[in-house]
Amino acid sequence: METPIIPLVTEEQKQAEETWRKSIPAQVFLNHFFAINYHIQQADDAMGGLQHLPYFRAHQAELAETDLPALTKLLHACWSTEYALRATAELGDEDYLRNALHWTFPQAYHTITAGLQAFLYTTGVRGNNPALIRREVGRLVVRNAYPRPVSFYAAGAHGDFSIHRLPLAGYKAGLQIAGKEIDAQAQIGQFLRTTRTIKAKATRLQVQANPNTALRSQKTGKVLDKWTAAHWQEITWRLGYTTIFDLLGRLRISQTSREIERFVEADIDFTLFHQSLLNIVGYLNGIHETYVAKAMGLERYQQLVAELPRHLQNSFVEERLRTRVAPQLNTQETPVLRMAA
């Protein structure tokens, strides 16, 4: 009787390997956000670190009573979206959280953006143009308006990027969840580089598609197909800085796109993904809330929180006010809002 041949690799093993291979892009994405959260947790102090920043101590705003409705509207949008994001995390088991990515990705992005707009409003930047917001927050990050854990950024031309305020970012990023600060910084560095590369290539396409801005051959006058380092350098000013807010912008994935399906079908830890997102959201929203409270005055901000809609009362908003916002402002001078004439 012929001895049956036992394959070295079973069909189940092949299937598992294929699933793992398909999961790699999603795993890398999870790693990046886990790394950001890890980096924040390692470096964060109890209150968020703003009180050490000269920019924060000097932050003042020319706000009138007439500005309060606009600020309140932005904060309500920020908090209601965070409320929805938190509700998903609390309700969901692994399968639910897997499918919830269709809305939790954009929710995480939009809650942070609304809070950021409220902060920018106090600096005199009014409007919701994404390019304007991106440019202004990039400048604020570089000017040290944000605590160390989220003050990192990338600059420079395509092929010659420099990473700032992440001293370990040059190390090779692994495929594993960060277990040490060196792993976290390496993965954040990789995320910054890939995100800036995407931005650089998109900018090149945009520039070259416009006859008025396209770079041309000096000999023939034709639009250039091939670029040298010097050509990339010419458009670098258009890129601005690449910051944590650009990384969060990668969450804006259309729910109809193929990319979101890759995440939904991937074999990754969705609970960990949501927890990382929630922690990043809470940290950044807390920073923006503190700036807004400093601009309008702690007492007026406390009143705003006390008058929140029912679903936001006695919630994370009040907790952050008590544990993060108020402690950093109690030593500051309280501004007085100018009454409208």
Coordinates of all heavy atoms in Angstrom, one line a residue, residues 195-229:
T195 N 3.5 59.6 4.3 CA 2.5 60.6 4.2 C 3.0 61.8 3.4 O 2.3 62.3 2.5 CB 1.9 61.0 5.5 OG1 1.5 59.9 6.2 CG2 0.8 62.1 5.4
R196 N 4.2 62.2 3.7 CA 4.8 63.3 2.9 C 5.1 62.9 1.5 O 4.9 63.8 0.5 CB 6.1 63.8 3.6 CG 6.6 65.2 3.1 CD 7.6 65.8 4.0 NE 8.1 67.1 3.4 CZ 7.5 68.2 3.5 NH1 6.3 68.3 4.1 NH2 8.0 69.3 3.0
T197 N 5.4 61.7 1.2 CA 5.6 61.2 -0.1 C 4.4 61.3 -0.9 O 4.3 61.8 -2.1 CB 6.2 59.8 -0.1 OG1 7.4 59.7 0.5 CG2 6.3 59.2 -1.5
I198 N 3.3 60.9 -0.3 CA 1.9 60.9 -1.0 C 1.6 62.4 -1.3 O 1.2 62.7 -2.4 CB 0.8 60.3 -0.1 CG1 1.0 58.8 0.0 CG2 -0.6 60.6 -0.6 CD1 0.2 58.1 1.1
K199 N 1.8 63.3 -0.4 CA 1.6 64.7 -0.6 C 2.4 65.3 -1.7 O 2.0 66.0 -2.6 CB 1.8 65.5 0.7 CG 1.6 67.0 0.6 CD 0.2 67.4 0.4 CE 0.1 68.9 0.4 NZ -1.3 69.3 -0.1
A200 N 3.7 64.9 -1.7 CA 4.6 65.4 -2.7 C 4.2 65.0 -4.1 O 4.2 65.8 -5.1 CB 6.1 65.0 -2.4
K201 N 3.9 63.7 -4.2 CA 3.5 63.2 -5.6 C 2.2 63.8 -6.0 O 2.0 64.1 -7.2 CB 3.4 61.6 -5.5 CG 4.8 61.0 -5.4 CD 4.7 59.5 -5.3 CE 6.1 58.9 -5.3 NZ 6.1 57.4 -5.2
A202 N 1.2 64.0 -5.1 CA 0.0 64.6 -5.5 C 0.2 66.0 -5.9 O -0.5 66.5 -6.8 CB -1.0 64.5 -4.3
T203 N 1.1 66.7 -5.2 CA 1.4 68.1 -5.5 C 2.0 68.2 -6.9 O 1.7 69.1 -7.7 CB 2.3 68.7 -4.5 OG1 1.7 68.6 -3.2 CG2 2.6 70.2 -4.8
R204 N 2.9 67.3 -7.2 CA 3.6 67.2 -8.5 C 2.5 67.1 -9.6 O 2.5 67.8 -10.6 CB 4.6 66.1 -8.6 CG 5.1 65.9 -10.0 CD 6.0 64.7 -10.1 NE 6.1 64.1 -11.4 CZ 7.1 63.3 -11.9 NH1 8.0 63.0 -11.1 NH2 7.1 62.9 -13.1
L205 N 1.6 66.1 -9.4 CA 0.5 65.9 -10.4 C -0.3 67.2 -10.6 O -0.6 67.6 -11.8 CB -0.4 64.8 -10.0 CG 0.1 63.4 -10.2 CD1 -0.9 62.4 -9.5 CD2 0.3 63.0 -11.6
Q206 N -0.6 67.8 -9.5 CA -1.4 69.1 -9.6 C -0.7 70.2 -10.3 O -1.2 70.9 -11.2 CB -1.7 69.5 -8.2 CG -2.8 70.6 -8.0 CD -3.1 70.9 -6.6 OE1 -2.4 70.5 -5.7 NE2 -4.2 71.6 -6.3
V207 N 0.6 70.3 -10.0 CA 1.4 71.4 -10.6 C 1.6 71.1 -12.1 O 1.4 72.0 -12.9 CB 2.8 71.5 -9.9 CG1 3.8 72.3 -10.7 CG2 2.7 72.1 -8.5
Q208 N 1.9 69.9 -12.5 CA 2.2 69.6 -13.9 C 0.9 69.5 -14.7 O 1.0 69.6 -15.9 CB 2.9 68.2 -14.0 CG 4.3 68.2 -13.4 CD 5.2 69.3 -14.0 OE1 5.2 70.4 -13.5 NE2 5.9 68.9 -15.0
A209 N -0.3 69.4 -14.1 CA -1.5 69.4 -14.8 C -2.0 70.8 -15.2 O -2.9 70.9 -16.1 CB -2.6 68.7 -14.0
N210 N -1.4 71.8 -14.6 CA -1.8 73.2 -14.8 C -0.7 73.8 -15.7 O 0.4 74.0 -15.3 CB -1.9 73.9 -13.5 CG -2.3 75.3 -13.7 OD1 -2.3 75.9 -14.7 ND2 -2.8 75.9 -12.6
P211 N -1.1 74.2 -16.9 CA -0.2 74.8 -17.9 C 0.6 76.1 -17.3 O 1.7 76.4 -17.7 CB -1.0 75.2 -19.1 CG -2.3 74.4 -19.0 CD -2.5 74.2 -17.5
N212 N -0.1 76.7 -16.4 CA 0.5 78.0 -15.8 C 1.6 77.7 -14.7 O 2.4 78.5 -14.5 CB -0.6 78.8 -15.2 CG -1.6 79.3 -16.2 OD1 -1.2 79.7 -17.3 ND2 -2.9 79.3 -15.9
T213 N 1.5 76.5 -14.1 CA 2.5 76.2 -13.0 C 3.4 75.1 -13.4 O 4.4 74.9 -12.7 CB 1.7 75.8 -11.8 OG1 0.9 74.6 -12.1 CG2 0.8 76.9 -11.2
A214 N 3.1 74.3 -14.5 CA 3.9 73.2 -14.9 C 5.4 73.5 -15.1 O 5.7 74.6 -15.7 CB 3.4 72.5 -16.1
L215 N 6.3 72.7 -14.6 CA 7.7 72.8 -14.9 C 8.0 72.3 -16.3 O 7.5 71.2 -16.6 CB 8.5 72.1 -13.8 CG 8.3 72.4 -12.3 CD1 9.4 71.7 -11.5 CD2 8.4 73.9 -12.1
R216 N 8.8 73.0 -17.0 CA 9.0 72.7 -18.4 C 10.5 72.5 -18.7 O 11.3 73.1 -18.0 CB 8.4 73.8 -19.3 CG 6.9 73.9 -19.2 CD 6.4 75.1 -20.0 NE 4.9 75.3 -19.8 CZ 4.0 74.7 -20.5 NH1 4.4 73.9 -21.5 NH2 2.7 74.8 -20.3
S217 N 10.7 71.8 -19.8 CA 12.1 71.7 -20.3 C 12.6 73.0 -20.8 O 11.9 73.7 -21.6 CB 12.2 70.6 -21.4 OG 13.4 70.7 -22.1
Q218 N 13.8 73.4 -20.4 CA 14.4 74.6 -20.8 C 14.7 74.6 -22.3 O 14.8 75.6 -23.0 CB 15.7 75.0 -20.0 CG 15.4 75.3 -18.6 CD 16.6 75.7 -17.8 OE1 17.7 75.4 -18.2 NE2 16.4 76.4 -16.7
K219 N 15.0 73.4 -22.8 CA 15.3 73.3 -24.2 C 14.1 73.3 -25.1 O 14.0 74.0 -26.1 CB 16.1 71.9 -24.5 CG 17.5 71.9 -23.9 CD 18.1 70.6 -24.2 CE 19.5 70.6 -23.5 NZ 20.2 69.2 -23.7
T220 N 13.1 72.5 -24.8 CA 11.9 72.3 -25.7 C 10.7 73.1 -25.3 O 9.8 73.3 -26.1 CB 11.5 70.8 -25.8 OG1 11.1 70.4 -24.5 CG2 12.7 70.0 -26.2
G221 N 10.6 73.5 -24.0 CA 9.5 74.2 -23.5 C 8.3 73.2 -23.2 O 7.2 73.7 -22.8
K222 N 8.5 71.9 -23.3 CA 7.5 71.0 -23.1 C 7.4 70.7 -21.6 O 8.4 70.8 -20.9 CB 7.7 69.7 -23.8 CG 7.5 69.8 -25.3 CD 7.7 68.5 -26.0 CE 7.5 68.6 -27.5 NZ 7.7 67.3 -28.2
V223 N 6.2 70.3 -21.1 CA 6.0 69.9 -19.7 C 6.9 68.7 -19.4 O 6.9 67.7 -20.2 CB 4.5 69.6 -19.4 CG1 4.4 69.0 -18.0 CG2 3.7 70.8 -19.6
L224 N 7.6 68.8 -18.3 CA 8.6 67.7 -17.9 C 7.9 66.4 -17.5 O 6.9 66.5 -16.7 CB 9.5 68.2 -16.8 CG 10.6 69.2 -17.2 CD1 11.2 69.7 -15.9 CD2 11.6 68.6 -18.0
D225 N 8.3 65.3 -18.0 CA 7.8 64.0 -17.6 C 8.7 63.5 -16.4 O 8.2 62.9 -15.4 CB 7.9 63.0 -18.7 CG 6.7 63.3 -19.7 OD1 5.7 63.8 -19.3 OD2 6.9 63.0 -20.9
K226 N 10.0 63.6 -16.6 CA 11.0 63.1 -15.6 C 11.5 64.2 -14.8 O 11.8 65.3 -15.3 CB 12.1 62.4 -16.3 CG 11.7 61.1 -17.1 CD 12.9 60.4 -17.7 CE 12.4 59.2 -18.4 NZ 13.5 58.5 -19.2
W227 N 11.6 64.0 -13.5 CA 12.0 65.0 -12.5 C 13.3 64.6 -11.9 O 13.6 63.5 -11.6 CB 10.9 65.2 -11.4 CG 9.8 66.1 -11.8 CD1 9.4 66.3 -13.1 CD2 9.1 67.0 -11.0 NE1 8.4 67.3 -13.1 CE2 8.2 67.7 -11.8 CE3 9.1 67.2 -9.6 CZ2 7.3 68.6 -11.3 CZ3 8.2 68.1 -9.1 CH2 7.3 68.8 -9.9
T228 N 14.1 65.6 -11.6 CA 15.4 65.5 -10.9 C 15.1 66.0 -9.4 O 14.0 66.5 -9.1 CB 16.5 66.3 -11.5 OG1 16.2 67.7 -11.4 CG2 16.7 65.9 -12.9
A229 N 16.1 65.8 -8.6 CA 16.0 66.3 -7.2 C 15.7 67.8 -7.2 O 15.0 68.3 -6.4 CB 17.3 66.0 -6.5

